[in-house]
Amino acid sequence: MTSSHGKLTVITADSHVLTGCNKSTMTRARDVHDSTAYGDDDYGQDPGLGKPGFSAAGWYDKTATTGNRAVLQPLADSGDKVTWTRKPEGSGTGKPLETFTGFVSQYVEDNPVKDIVQWSLTVTIDGGLVTSTQG
Amino acid sequence: MLLAGVMQLLADQAATIDGLRCFGFPADSVVPPALMVGFPESYDFDEAYERGMDKVVLPLWLVVPRTVDRTTRDLLAAYCDGSGETSIKAVLEAGTYPGLTVNVDAVEFDFNVSIAAIGMPAAKFTVSVWGEGE
C-alpha cells in the first residue's frame, strides 16, 4: 500500500489557492431509487443521479487581496458559481485532479478566544466532477 | 518561519522595554532584570496544506533581582501585567512580525530559578507563534 499524506492537498477556488486550508472533504454521493415490487422479499434499490459534495476548513488568512477572507467572503455573498479544483495527492504531473463548478452555500468564520480565527465552508456542486490527471 | 529568527524577533521586541536586557536564546548568565527566549516547548509542523502554517510555543523566562521585599513584587508584577509600558504581553503583542501571529498565552511564576548558580525570582511566559512553514 502506498498512502498519501493529507498535507499535500491543494484546493483552489476561482483560481485562488485556499491558503491556510487544513481540512477538506469530497463526497461522492448518489440518489437511491426504491424499485421494490410486489412479491419481493428484500428491497430493490437502483442508483439515481450523482450528487457530489465538498467542504473545507482552515486557518483565517488576513492577507488583504489573496487571503481566504478576501477570496471566500465575496463568493459566499454573491453565490457565484465558480470553478473549484482539488488535488488530493498534491501537485505533480500524472497526479489526480478533480474539477467541479459550484457555489458557496455556507461560509463560517469561527473566533475562539484561545486560538486563531478559523473558517469553514460548504460548496454545493452544480453538475458532476471531472476527474483527470495533472499535466 | 524560521526558529532562530522568531526567537530573536521576540527578544528584540521585548528589548523595547526600557532597562530590560533581552536574549533570543537561553543565556548562561544574565544580569537581572533580563529576559531569555527558551527553546520551544512544542513545534508543530503542517498545521495547513502545503506547509501553509506551523505553530511554535516558546517559553520566555524573565528574571528580576532577588530582594525579598515589596520591590521584587512590584517589579515582577509590572512585567506580568496585561497592560502598561513594561507589560511583556502588551509589548510583544504590539510588535510587527511580518507573516507571523504572536500571542502571549500565560505566565507562571518560580521564585527560585537558578542561572549560573544564582537563584532569582522568575516569570515564565508562554508565547504561541503561528507562521508559514519554511
Side-chain angles (χ1 to χ4, degrees):
Chain A
M1 187 190 86
T2 305
S3 58
S4 181
H5 204 289
K7 69 182 182 182
L8 301 174
T9 308
V10 181
I11 307 295
T12 69
D14 200 17
S15 301
H16 297 282
V17 174
L18 296 191
T19 56
C21 191
N22 63 5
K23 181 177 173 61
S24 60
T25 304
M26 170 60 76
T27 304
R28 286 172 158 80
R30 184 170 293 281
D31 283 346
V32 176
H33 295 300
D34 187 341
S35 58
T36 311
Y38 293 154
D40 286 349
D41 291 326
D42 300 293
Y43 281 106
Q45 300 188 94
D46 290 321
L49 297 175
K51 191 178 182 183
F54 179 74
S55 62
W59 305 109
Y60 185 95
D61 179 355
K62 62 184 179 183
T63 309
T65 56
T66 59
N68 42 52
R69 181 179 175 87
V71 172
L72 296 176
Q73 193 179 46
L75 290 179
D77 289 346
S78 68
D80 288 347
K81 293 178 185 175
V82 298
T83 300
W84 298 71
T85 66
R86 173 176 181 260
K87 299 175 181 175
E89 297 175 19
S91 298
T93 303
K95 291 185 176 182
L97 170 67
E98 293 168 347
T99 306
F100 52 95
T101 300
F103 60 91
V104 177
S105 48
Q106 185 176 58
Y107 174 67
V108 178
E109 289 179 358
D110 189 26
N111 296 53
V113 69
K114 289 288 189 179
D115 209 341
I116 54 178
V117 180
Q118 297 149 52
W119 57 267
S120 62
L121 62 81
T122 302
V123 177
T124 296
I125 297 175
D126 177 29
L129 299 179
V130 177
T131 301
S132 59
T133 54
Q134 298 170 49
Chain B
M1 61 181 173
L2 299 173
L3 180 58
V6 169
M7 293 171 73
Q8 194 58 51
L9 273 177
L10 295 176
D12 291 346
Q13 180 64 21
T16 62
I17 297 175
D18 191 36
L20 184 63
R21 302 171 186 87
C22 297
F23 302 85
F25 52 89
D28 284 339
S29 65
V30 296
V31 177
L35 178 140
M36 295 176 293
V37 181
F39 286 109
E41 295 176 352
S42 64
Y43 194 165
D44 295 323
F45 298 120
D46 302 324
E47 294 283 298
Y49 295 158
E50 292 192 290
R51 305 287 298 118
M53 182 179 289
D54 291 342
K55 179 184 180 184
V56 61
V57 178
L58 293 154
L60 272 62
W61 291 93
L62 186 145
V63 293
V64 296
R66 172 174 289 288
T67 51
V68 186
D69 60 18
R70 188 179 302 173
T71 308
T72 296
R73 181 202 66 184
D74 290 348
L75 181 60
L76 195 57
Y79 288 122
C80 298
D81 285 340
S83 63
E85 290 183 358
T86 61
S87 162
I88 295 295
K89 180 175 176 63
V91 169
L92 287 184
E93 293 182 0
T96 301
Y97 315 96
L100 301 177
T101 300
V102 173
N103 191 69
V104 180
D105 300 328
V107 61
E108 301 172 56
F109 300 91
D110 187 334
F111 207 70
N112 193 31
V113 166
S114 180
I115 299 175
I118 301 172
M120 289 178 258
K124 186 188 83 167
F125 295 87
T126 301
V127 179
S128 295
V129 182
W130 295 264
E132 188 172 346
E134 292 187 54

mmCIF file of all heavy atoms in Angstrom, chain A residues 37-77:
data_model
loop_
_atom_site.group_PDB
_atom_site.id
_atom_site.type_symbol
_atom_site.label_atom_id
_atom_site.label_comp_id
_atom_site.label_asym_id
_atom_site.label_seq_id
_atom_site.Cartn_x
_atom_site.Cartn_y
_atom_site.Cartn_z
ATOM 1 N N ALA A 37 -40.776 -4.350 -5.634
ATOM 2 C CA ALA A 37 -42.051 -4.712 -6.273
ATOM 3 C C ALA A 37 -42.785 -5.748 -5.424
ATOM 4 O O ALA A 37 -42.185 -6.390 -4.549
ATOM 5 C CB ALA A 37 -41.794 -5.261 -7.670
ATOM 6 N N TYR A 38 -44.071 -5.875 -5.718
ATOM 7 C CA TYR A 38 -44.854 -6.909 -5.019
ATOM 8 C C TYR A 38 -44.161 -8.260 -5.153
ATOM 9 O O TYR A 38 -43.651 -8.613 -6.220
ATOM 10 C CB TYR A 38 -46.265 -7.027 -5.620
ATOM 11 C CG TYR A 38 -47.152 -5.819 -5.396
ATOM 12 C CD1 TYR A 38 -48.192 -5.544 -6.277
ATOM 13 C CD2 TYR A 38 -46.965 -4.980 -4.307
ATOM 14 C CE1 TYR A 38 -49.025 -4.462 -6.082
ATOM 15 C CE2 TYR A 38 -47.786 -3.892 -4.109
ATOM 16 C CZ TYR A 38 -48.807 -3.625 -4.985
ATOM 17 O OH TYR A 38 -49.622 -2.547 -4.798
ATOM 18 N N GLY A 39 -44.144 -8.997 -4.095
ATOM 19 C CA GLY A 39 -43.561 -10.336 -4.142
ATOM 20 C C GLY A 39 -42.092 -10.376 -3.775
ATOM 21 O O GLY A 39 -41.547 -11.449 -3.522
ATOM 22 N N ASP A 40 -41.442 -9.211 -3.730
ATOM 23 C CA ASP A 40 -40.017 -9.201 -3.355
ATOM 24 C C ASP A 40 -39.866 -9.481 -1.864
ATOM 25 O O ASP A 40 -40.695 -9.046 -1.057
ATOM 26 C CB ASP A 40 -39.385 -7.838 -3.661
ATOM 27 C CG ASP A 40 -39.166 -7.635 -5.146
ATOM 28 O OD1 ASP A 40 -39.308 -8.623 -5.901
ATOM 29 O OD2 ASP A 40 -38.868 -6.487 -5.539
ATOM 30 N N ASP A 41 -38.839 -10.190 -1.505
ATOM 31 C CA ASP A 41 -38.545 -10.440 -0.094
ATOM 32 C C ASP A 41 -37.608 -9.384 0.484
ATOM 33 O O ASP A 41 -37.475 -9.260 1.700
ATOM 34 C CB ASP A 41 -37.881 -11.816 0.083
ATOM 35 C CG ASP A 41 -38.865 -12.944 -0.209
ATOM 36 O OD1 ASP A 41 -40.069 -12.748 0.091
ATOM 37 O OD2 ASP A 41 -38.432 -13.978 -0.732
ATOM 38 N N ASP A 42 -36.918 -8.667 -0.386
ATOM 39 C CA ASP A 42 -35.980 -7.626 0.059
ATOM 40 C C ASP A 42 -36.215 -6.374 -0.786
ATOM 41 O O ASP A 42 -36.783 -6.434 -1.870
ATOM 42 C CB ASP A 42 -34.529 -8.092 -0.117
ATOM 43 C CG ASP A 42 -34.238 -9.341 0.682
ATOM 44 O OD1 ASP A 42 -34.242 -9.253 1.930
ATOM 45 O OD2 ASP A 42 -34.026 -10.414 0.071
ATOM 46 N N TYR A 43 -35.754 -5.275 -0.258
ATOM 47 C CA TYR A 43 -35.862 -4.039 -1.014
ATOM 48 C C TYR A 43 -35.051 -4.137 -2.308
ATOM 49 O O TYR A 43 -33.939 -4.652 -2.321
ATOM 50 C CB TYR A 43 -35.329 -2.847 -0.211
ATOM 51 C CG TYR A 43 -36.303 -2.329 0.826
ATOM 52 C CD1 TYR A 43 -36.105 -2.576 2.170
ATOM 53 C CD2 TYR A 43 -37.413 -1.580 0.438
ATOM 54 C CE1 TYR A 43 -36.989 -2.098 3.118
ATOM 55 C CE2 TYR A 43 -38.297 -1.106 1.383
ATOM 56 C CZ TYR A 43 -38.089 -1.365 2.722
ATOM 57 O OH TYR A 43 -38.972 -0.887 3.643
ATOM 58 N N GLY A 44 -35.608 -3.620 -3.354
ATOM 59 C CA GLY A 44 -34.838 -3.431 -4.565
ATOM 60 C C GLY A 44 -34.415 -1.968 -4.641
ATOM 61 O O GLY A 44 -35.215 -1.072 -4.351
ATOM 62 N N GLN A 45 -33.184 -1.730 -4.967
ATOM 63 C CA GLN A 45 -32.703 -0.348 -4.991
ATOM 64 C C GLN A 45 -31.840 -0.114 -6.227
ATOM 65 O O GLN A 45 -30.993 -0.942 -6.575
ATOM 66 C CB GLN A 45 -31.911 -0.030 -3.717
ATOM 67 C CG GLN A 45 -32.760 -0.201 -2.459
ATOM 68 C CD GLN A 45 -32.062 0.290 -1.209
ATOM 69 O OE1 GLN A 45 -32.240 1.428 -0.798
ATOM 70 N NE2 GLN A 45 -31.285 -0.580 -0.607
ATOM 71 N N ASP A 46 -32.067 0.997 -6.868
ATOM 72 C CA ASP A 46 -31.322 1.332 -8.077
ATOM 73 C C ASP A 46 -30.625 2.683 -7.913
ATOM 74 O O ASP A 46 -31.126 3.560 -7.203
ATOM 75 C CB ASP A 46 -32.257 1.399 -9.285
ATOM 76 C CG ASP A 46 -32.762 0.016 -9.671
ATOM 77 O OD1 ASP A 46 -31.968 -0.938 -9.607
ATOM 78 O OD2 ASP A 46 -33.965 -0.089 -9.991
ATOM 79 N N PRO A 47 -29.499 2.835 -8.594
ATOM 80 C CA PRO A 47 -28.779 4.111 -8.492
ATOM 81 C C PRO A 47 -29.501 5.217 -9.239
ATOM 82 O O PRO A 47 -30.033 4.998 -10.331
ATOM 83 C CB PRO A 47 -27.428 3.800 -9.130
ATOM 84 C CG PRO A 47 -27.701 2.662 -10.055
ATOM 85 C CD PRO A 47 -28.787 1.853 -9.428
ATOM 86 N N GLY A 48 -29.508 6.380 -8.618
ATOM 87 C CA GLY A 48 -30.097 7.555 -9.251
ATOM 88 C C GLY A 48 -29.022 8.529 -9.692
ATOM 89 O O GLY A 48 -27.897 8.131 -10.027
ATOM 90 N N LEU A 49 -29.331 9.785 -9.646
ATOM 91 C CA LEU A 49 -28.394 10.805 -10.103
ATOM 92 C C LEU A 49 -27.268 11.015 -9.103
ATOM 93 O O LEU A 49 -27.462 10.910 -7.890
ATOM 94 C CB LEU A 49 -29.128 12.136 -10.308
ATOM 95 C CG LEU A 49 -30.222 12.143 -11.375
ATOM 96 C CD1 LEU A 49 -30.935 13.500 -11.372
ATOM 97 C CD2 LEU A 49 -29.627 11.858 -12.746
ATOM 98 N N GLY A 50 -26.108 11.328 -9.648
ATOM 99 C CA GLY A 50 -24.976 11.636 -8.790
ATOM 100 C C GLY A 50 -25.150 12.983 -8.116
ATOM 101 O O GLY A 50 -25.765 13.904 -8.680
ATOM 102 N N LYS A 51 -24.646 13.091 -6.895
ATOM 103 C CA LYS A 51 -24.770 14.347 -6.151
ATOM 104 C C LYS A 51 -23.532 14.524 -5.281
ATOM 105 O O LYS A 51 -23.575 14.298 -4.073
ATOM 106 C CB LYS A 51 -26.043 14.321 -5.290
ATOM 107 C CG LYS A 51 -26.389 15.674 -4.682
ATOM 108 C CD LYS A 51 -27.685 15.566 -3.882
ATOM 109 C CE LYS A 51 -28.078 16.913 -3.305
ATOM 110 N NZ LYS A 51 -29.305 16.817 -2.475
ATOM 111 N N PRO A 52 -22.424 14.941 -5.900
ATOM 112 C CA PRO A 52 -21.203 15.123 -5.112
ATOM 113 C C PRO A 52 -21.298 16.350 -4.213
ATOM 114 O O PRO A 52 -22.076 17.274 -4.481
ATOM 115 C CB PRO A 52 -20.122 15.302 -6.179
ATOM 116 C CG PRO A 52 -20.851 15.850 -7.363
ATOM 117 C CD PRO A 52 -22.217 15.235 -7.333
ATOM 118 N N GLY A 53 -20.518 16.331 -3.158
ATOM 119 C CA GLY A 53 -20.487 17.471 -2.237
ATOM 120 C C GLY A 53 -19.059 17.750 -1.802
ATOM 121 O O GLY A 53 -18.192 16.873 -1.848
ATOM 122 N N PHE A 54 -18.824 18.989 -1.399
ATOM 123 C CA PHE A 54 -17.467 19.357 -0.996
ATOM 124 C C PHE A 54 -17.523 20.326 0.178
ATOM 125 O O PHE A 54 -18.377 21.217 0.232
ATOM 126 C CB PHE A 54 -16.724 20.021 -2.170
ATOM 127 C CG PHE A 54 -15.327 20.449 -1.825
ATOM 128 C CD1 PHE A 54 -14.316 19.517 -1.683
ATOM 129 C CD2 PHE A 54 -15.025 21.788 -1.614
ATOM 130 C CE1 PHE A 54 -13.029 19.903 -1.344
ATOM 131 C CE2 PHE A 54 -13.741 22.187 -1.272
ATOM 132 C CZ PHE A 54 -12.745 21.236 -1.140
ATOM 133 N N SER A 55 -16.603 20.133 1.109
ATOM 134 C CA SER A 55 -16.467 21.081 2.219
ATOM 135 C C SER A 55 -14.989 21.229 2.556
ATOM 136 O O SER A 55 -14.176 20.347 2.257
ATOM 137 C CB SER A 55 -17.250 20.610 3.449
ATOM 138 O OG SER A 55 -16.740 19.376 3.914
ATOM 139 N N ALA A 56 -14.654 22.350 3.163
ATOM 140 C CA ALA A 56 -13.257 22.615 3.523
ATOM 141 C C ALA A 56 -13.227 23.537 4.735
ATOM 142 O O ALA A 56 -14.215 24.195 5.072
ATOM 143 C CB ALA A 56 -12.508 23.258 2.349
ATOM 144 N N ALA A 57 -12.077 23.550 5.394
ATOM 145 C CA ALA A 57 -11.894 24.409 6.563
ATOM 146 C C ALA A 57 -10.422 24.754 6.694
ATOM 147 O O ALA A 57 -9.564 24.090 6.109
ATOM 148 C CB ALA A 57 -12.389 23.709 7.829
ATOM 149 N N GLY A 58 -10.152 25.804 7.451
ATOM 150 C CA GLY A 58 -8.750 26.176 7.620
ATOM 151 C C GLY A 58 -8.569 27.374 8.515
ATOM 152 O O GLY A 58 -9.514 27.884 9.119
ATOM 153 N N TRP A 59 -7.325 27.810 8.565
ATOM 154 C CA TRP A 59 -6.956 28.976 9.363
ATOM 155 C C TRP A 59 -7.221 30.246 8.561
ATOM 156 O O TRP A 59 -6.930 30.313 7.375
ATOM 157 C CB TRP A 59 -5.478 28.925 9.751
ATOM 158 C CG TRP A 59 -5.073 27.689 10.451
ATOM 159 C CD1 TRP A 59 -4.290 26.686 9.958
ATOM 160 C CD2 TRP A 59 -5.414 27.285 11.783
ATOM 161 N NE1 TRP A 59 -4.132 25.705 10.889
ATOM 162 C CE2 TRP A 59 -4.807 26.038 12.021
ATOM 163 C CE3 TRP A 59 -6.180 27.864 12.798
ATOM 164 C CZ2 TRP A 59 -4.934 25.350 13.220
ATOM 165 C CZ3 TRP A 59 -6.312 27.182 13.998
ATOM 166 C CH2 TRP A 59 -5.694 25.954 14.201
ATOM 167 N N TYR A 60 -7.735 31.215 9.226
ATOM 168 C CA TYR A 60 -8.039 32.523 8.627
ATOM 169 C C TYR A 60 -6.753 33.183 8.148
ATOM 170 O O TYR A 60 -5.760 33.243 8.866
ATOM 171 C CB TYR A 60 -8.705 33.356 9.708
ATOM 172 C CG TYR A 60 -9.221 34.702 9.312
ATOM 173 C CD1 TYR A 60 -10.546 34.871 8.954
ATOM 174 C CD2 TYR A 60 -8.403 35.814 9.366
ATOM 175 C CE1 TYR A 60 -11.038 36.119 8.640
ATOM 176 C CE2 TYR A 60 -8.893 37.062 9.059
ATOM 177 C CZ TYR A 60 -10.202 37.209 8.694
ATOM 178 O OH TYR A 60 -10.690 38.451 8.392
ATOM 179 N N ASP A 61 -6.785 33.680 6.932
ATOM 180 C CA ASP A 61 -5.639 34.378 6.349
ATOM 181 C C ASP A 61 -6.077 35.796 6.020
ATOM 182 O O ASP A 61 -6.921 36.009 5.150
ATOM 183 C CB ASP A 61 -5.183 33.639 5.081
ATOM 184 C CG ASP A 61 -4.012 34.313 4.389
ATOM 185 O OD1 ASP A 61 -3.613 35.414 4.830
ATOM 186 O OD2 ASP A 61 -3.510 33.748 3.409
ATOM 187 N N LYS A 62 -5.497 36.754 6.744
ATOM 188 C CA LYS A 62 -5.964 38.142 6.580
ATOM 189 C C LYS A 62 -5.235 38.898 5.484
ATOM 190 O O LYS A 62 -5.401 40.121 5.358
ATOM 191 C CB LYS A 62 -5.839 38.901 7.902
ATOM 192 C CG LYS A 62 -4.432 39.039 8.424
ATOM 193 C CD LYS A 62 -4.435 39.728 9.788
ATOM 194 C CE LYS A 62 -3.023 39.846 10.334
ATOM 195 N NZ LYS A 62 -3.010 40.434 11.682
ATOM 196 N N THR A 63 -4.425 38.198 4.682
ATOM 197 C CA THR A 63 -3.749 38.864 3.579
ATOM 198 C C THR A 63 -4.773 39.633 2.747
ATOM 199 O O THR A 63 -5.799 39.080 2.330
ATOM 200 C CB THR A 63 -3.030 37.833 2.691
ATOM 201 O OG1 THR A 63 -2.238 37.002 3.523
ATOM 202 C CG2 THR A 63 -2.142 38.524 1.686
ATOM 203 N N ALA A 64 -4.476 40.896 2.496
ATOM 204 C CA ALA A 64 -5.504 41.821 2.006
ATOM 205 C C ALA A 64 -6.201 41.371 0.726
ATOM 206 O O ALA A 64 -7.413 41.446 0.616
ATOM 207 C CB ALA A 64 -4.885 43.194 1.814
ATOM 208 N N THR A 65 -5.460 40.916 -0.255
ATOM 209 C CA THR A 65 -6.097 40.622 -1.539
ATOM 210 C C THR A 65 -6.144 39.143 -1.870
ATOM 211 O O THR A 65 -6.947 38.731 -2.704
ATOM 212 C CB THR A 65 -5.358 41.351 -2.681
ATOM 213 O OG1 THR A 65 -3.980 40.966 -2.644
ATOM 214 C CG2 THR A 65 -5.469 42.853 -2.523
ATOM 215 N N THR A 66 -5.280 38.350 -1.248
ATOM 216 C CA THR A 66 -5.233 36.927 -1.593
ATOM 217 C C THR A 66 -5.661 36.024 -0.449
ATOM 218 O O THR A 66 -5.739 34.819 -0.613
ATOM 219 C CB THR A 66 -3.811 36.525 -2.019
ATOM 220 O OG1 THR A 66 -2.915 36.797 -0.936
ATOM 221 C CG2 THR A 66 -3.377 37.293 -3.250
ATOM 222 N N GLY A 67 -5.911 36.594 0.732
ATOM 223 C CA GLY A 67 -6.312 35.782 1.872
ATOM 224 C C GLY A 67 -7.668 35.154 1.657
ATOM 225 O O GLY A 67 -8.432 35.562 0.775
ATOM 226 N N ASN A 68 -7.957 34.144 2.466
ATOM 227 C CA ASN A 68 -9.212 33.429 2.215
ATOM 228 C C ASN A 68 -10.443 34.275 2.526
ATOM 229 O O ASN A 68 -11.498 34.068 1.940
ATOM 230 C CB ASN A 68 -9.243 32.096 2.946
ATOM 231 C CG ASN A 68 -8.698 32.204 4.329
ATOM 232 O OD1 ASN A 68 -9.121 33.055 5.092
ATOM 233 N ND2 ASN A 68 -7.729 31.353 4.651
ATOM 234 N N ARG A 69 -10.309 35.252 3.424
ATOM 235 C CA ARG A 69 -11.463 36.140 3.618
ATOM 236 C C ARG A 69 -11.711 36.953 2.353
ATOM 237 O O ARG A 69 -12.852 37.110 1.909
ATOM 238 C CB ARG A 69 -11.244 37.079 4.802
ATOM 239 C CG ARG A 69 -12.426 38.000 5.048
ATOM 240 C CD ARG A 69 -12.176 38.905 6.240
ATOM 241 N NE ARG A 69 -13.246 39.866 6.422
ATOM 242 C CZ ARG A 69 -14.355 39.645 7.124
ATOM 243 N NH1 ARG A 69 -14.535 38.476 7.692
ATOM 244 N NH2 ARG A 69 -15.281 40.563 7.255
ATOM 245 N N ALA A 70 -10.627 37.452 1.765
ATOM 246 C CA ALA A 70 -10.766 38.260 0.544
ATOM 247 C C ALA A 70 -11.336 37.442 -0.608
ATOM 248 O O ALA A 70 -12.041 37.961 -1.467
ATOM 249 C CB ALA A 70 -9.409 38.838 0.148
ATOM 250 N N VAL A 71 -11.043 36.158 -0.615
ATOM 251 C CA VAL A 71 -11.496 35.307 -1.717
ATOM 252 C C VAL A 71 -12.866 34.699 -1.430
ATOM 253 O O VAL A 71 -13.758 34.713 -2.276
ATOM 254 C CB VAL A 71 -10.465 34.195 -1.978
ATOM 255 C CG1 VAL A 71 -10.997 33.182 -2.982
ATOM 256 C CG2 VAL A 71 -9.145 34.790 -2.465
ATOM 257 N N LEU A 72 -13.024 34.160 -0.221
ATOM 258 C CA LEU A 72 -14.212 33.351 0.049
ATOM 259 C C LEU A 72 -15.440 34.170 0.425
ATOM 260 O O LEU A 72 -16.563 33.807 0.057
ATOM 261 C CB LEU A 72 -13.899 32.341 1.158
ATOM 262 C CG LEU A 72 -12.837 31.314 0.791
ATOM 263 C CD1 LEU A 72 -12.511 30.424 1.974
ATOM 264 C CD2 LEU A 72 -13.294 30.477 -0.396
ATOM 265 N N GLN A 73 -15.232 35.233 1.177
ATOM 266 C CA GLN A 73 -16.410 36.001 1.581
ATOM 267 C C GLN A 73 -17.182 36.559 0.381
ATOM 268 O O GLN A 73 -18.416 36.456 0.347
ATOM 269 C CB GLN A 73 -16.015 37.115 2.544
ATOM 270 C CG GLN A 73 -17.220 37.727 3.241
ATOM 271 C CD GLN A 73 -16.809 38.821 4.214
ATOM 272 O OE1 GLN A 73 -16.005 39.684 3.891
ATOM 273 N NE2 GLN A 73 -17.362 38.777 5.392
ATOM 274 N N PRO A 74 -16.492 37.113 -0.628
ATOM 275 C CA PRO A 74 -17.245 37.567 -1.812
ATOM 276 C C PRO A 74 -17.982 36.426 -2.518
ATOM 277 O O PRO A 74 -19.095 36.626 -3.029
ATOM 278 C CB PRO A 74 -16.154 38.157 -2.714
ATOM 279 C CG PRO A 74 -15.067 38.558 -1.787
ATOM 280 C CD PRO A 74 -15.079 37.522 -0.708
ATOM 281 N N LEU A 75 -17.369 35.263 -2.541
ATOM 282 C CA LEU A 75 -18.053 34.128 -3.166
ATOM 283 C C LEU A 75 -19.300 33.747 -2.375
ATOM 284 O O LEU A 75 -20.340 33.412 -2.945
ATOM 285 C CB LEU A 75 -17.107 32.926 -3.257
ATOM 286 C CG LEU A 75 -15.945 33.042 -4.242
ATOM 287 C CD1 LEU A 75 -15.084 31.778 -4.201
ATOM 288 C CD2 LEU A 75 -16.459 33.278 -5.663
ATOM 289 N N ALA A 76 -19.176 33.798 -1.048
ATOM 290 C CA ALA A 76 -20.334 33.464 -0.212
ATOM 291 C C ALA A 76 -21.431 34.514 -0.376
ATOM 292 O O ALA A 76 -22.631 34.186 -0.430
ATOM 293 C CB ALA A 76 -19.903 33.357 1.247
ATOM 294 N N ASP A 77 -21.031 35.772 -0.453
ATOM 295 C CA ASP A 77 -22.021 36.850 -0.556
ATOM 296 C C ASP A 77 -22.723 36.853 -1.914
ATOM 297 O O ASP A 77 -23.911 37.161 -2.011
ATOM 298 C CB ASP A 77 -21.345 38.205 -0.329
ATOM 299 C CG ASP A 77 -20.928 38.394 1.127
ATOM 300 O OD1 ASP A 77 -21.400 37.618 1.983
ATOM 301 O OD2 ASP A 77 -20.116 39.292 1.393
#
